[in-house]
Amino acid sequence: MLTRIITGFFLFVFAGLWLFFPVAETASARFLGLDIFNLVAVLIVVIGGWEFSKLVFPDNSESTVPVSASSGVRESRNLFLKRCLYALFVFLSALLSFKYVVREVSLGDWARPAEILSNLSNGFVFWILLAGFAWWVLATVMVFCYPRSGVMMRSWWQRAIYGLLTLIPFGVSLMLLRDTGITHYGDDPYIGSRILLSVMMLVWSADSGAYFAGRLLGKHHMSAHVSPKKTWEGLAGGVLLALAVYGILYGTGMYTVYYSNFAALTVSAVLAVIFSVFGDLSESMFKRYAGIKDSGVLFPGHGGMLDRIDSLCAAVPVFLVSYSILSVLLS
């Protein structure tokens, strides 16, 4: 427990430094801070890609079928090579996707989230975000239907696509939210940082609320085959606590004029919280299918990178896409 607390503290400090990296009032200094944020975002996605490669190409070394020592070494080498190639593919996909985001930010064609989906020059980014949103809808269905949905994960290429849909839209959404207002001298360069922090706080509060409500009141399982500890009562408790935190954040002006559409913002926040739960459950589903407990050991007491960002992988793109659409429909 002590190790988990210490690691959590350092992760919180790192997240704060990453989100609020000091920037000066000059355009060059602002883009330097943005570049550092983007580089870390790429690193997070690539590490996540490496860990997801274990779900794409699981280790079958514990099979009961006897194999020779040489065959075992050869299979381990081939498995490692496949995982490296997948991580490299995720890296190249991230660079290609992020290139378009950086180009649009440097052009300064948009400043508000509602313009992300309406600006035709953002066509490629639009499809990445839309694919990510659609994936989380499908992932939710797969969680409810597991283990029958296992037929949709039998092939390595199916799992490889799911990994890309989990990580790339997440990285793109991180950059787009952080970039909010960065290109305009008169605006606060930390608007995007506060928006991202608010989404993280909603996810963290929902996770805490679900934990305590589930322990006290949990009776009805959401998906017993995926995670026996997740209950509908826990989900309700998580959403209620997240809404309370959301009300505090909104009242303190966290969302600023960029997110002034209260109806769109509230619905988007609720959707982000709900889908964050299924982000967690989807990773649990993949790990259960692959027969592993944790995605990695990067963070002592917390598991791997995917174990830390699984909820955010769903919440961040869902929040961005839903608000971008609803702020237009409900204006």
Side-chain angles (χ1 to χ4, degrees):
M1 177 61 71
L2 180 60
T3 300
R4 184 178 178 86
I5 294 174
I6 294 174
T7 303
F9 172 77
F10 280 105
L11 287 174
F12 182 78
V13 172
F14 172 78
L17 293 174
W18 177 47
L19 290 174
F20 295 93
F21 185 85
V23 295
E25 290 302 317
T26 63
S28 59
R30 289 191 178 194
F31 279 107
L32 174 62
L34 186 59
D35 287 340
I36 293 175
F37 177 89
N38 293 343
L39 286 174
V40 176
V42 171
L43 181 61
I44 291 173
V45 169
V46 172
I47 295 175
W50 167 253
E51 292 182 352
F52 206 96
S53 70
K54 301 174 185 178
L55 307 178
V56 177
F57 302 106
D59 187 358
N60 297 318
S61 60
E62 298 182 358
S63 172
T64 57
V65 179
V67 295
S68 64
S70 59
S71 297
V73 172
R74 185 168 58 252
E75 289 181 6
S76 296
R77 187 188 306 119
N78 291 338
L79 182 64
F80 179 75
L81 178 60
K82 290 177 182 178
R83 290 176 175 177
C84 288
L85 290 175
Y86 181 74
L88 177 62
F89 184 67
V90 171
F91 172 67
L92 295 176
S93 300
L95 287 184
L96 176 63
S97 303
F98 295 177
K99 170 187 174 183
Y100 283 88
V101 176
V102 173
R103 185 193 67 178
E104 296 303 331
V105 172
S106 64
L107 290 175
D109 286 338
W110 55 269
R112 291 167 174 78
E115 299 174 13
I116 295 175
L117 300 185
S118 61
N119 192 330
L120 294 179
S121 64
N122 274 306
F124 187 71
V125 174
F126 165 79
W127 288 110
I128 292 176
L129 295 174
L130 195 62
F133 189 93
W135 155 242
W136 288 114
V137 174
L138 175 61
T140 300
V141 176
M142 291 174 64
V143 166
F144 281 126
C145 295
Y146 190 82
R148 287 177 296 171
S149 59
V151 297
M152 302 175 65
M153 296 181 280
R154 286 179 178 175
S155 300
W156 69 267
W157 60 266
Q158 291 174 308
R159 300 190 295 272
I161 292 175
Y162 299 152
L164 288 176
L165 291 173
T166 297
L167 294 166
I168 302 303
F170 167 62
V172 169
S173 300
L174 282 177
M175 295 176 64
L176 287 175
L177 282 174
R178 174 63 180 88
D179 296 345
T180 300
I182 198 75
T183 58
H184 299 266
Y185 294 118
D187 295 334
D188 183 352
Y190 296 112
I191 289 175
S193 300
R194 290 197 294 271
I195 297 302
L196 267 177
L197 179 61
S198 71
V199 175
M200 292 179 180
M201 291 178 67
L202 292 178
V203 172
W204 296 335
S205 60
D207 186 55
S208 298
Y211 174 78
F212 289 108
R215 284 181 63 90
L216 294 174
L217 306 172
K219 292 182 180 180
H220 302 88
H221 298 291
M222 295 180 64
S223 181
H225 293 290
V226 174
S227 181
K229 295 182 179 180
K230 297 286 187 181
T231 63
W232 287 107
E233 291 82 2
L235 175 63
V239 171
L240 289 176
L241 182 57
L243 282 175
V245 172
Y246 165 75
I248 296 173
L249 295 176
Y250 191 90
T252 57
M254 174 73 86
Y255 296 98
T256 73
V257 68
Y258 279 83
Y259 291 79
S260 57
N261 190 319
F262 178 76
L265 185 62
T266 303
V267 174
S268 300
V270 172
L271 287 176
V273 167
I274 292 175
F275 274 95
S276 73
V277 176
F278 291 101
D280 183 8
L281 284 172
S282 70
E283 196 213 353
S284 298
M285 175 180 65
F286 284 118
K287 290 191 296 186
R288 187 171 292 275
Y289 187 84
I292 63 177
K293 184 178 184 296
D294 293 320
S295 62
V297 293
L298 183 62
F299 305 118
H302 288 262
M305 180 67 77
L306 279 179
D307 296 316
R308 290 300 87 211
I309 66 172
D310 51 6
S311 297
L312 291 172
C313 282
V316 176
V318 166
F319 176 83
L320 177 61
V321 173
S322 58
Y323 183 81
S324 300
I325 295 175
L326 292 174
S327 61
V328 175
L329 296 178
L330 301 179
S331 60

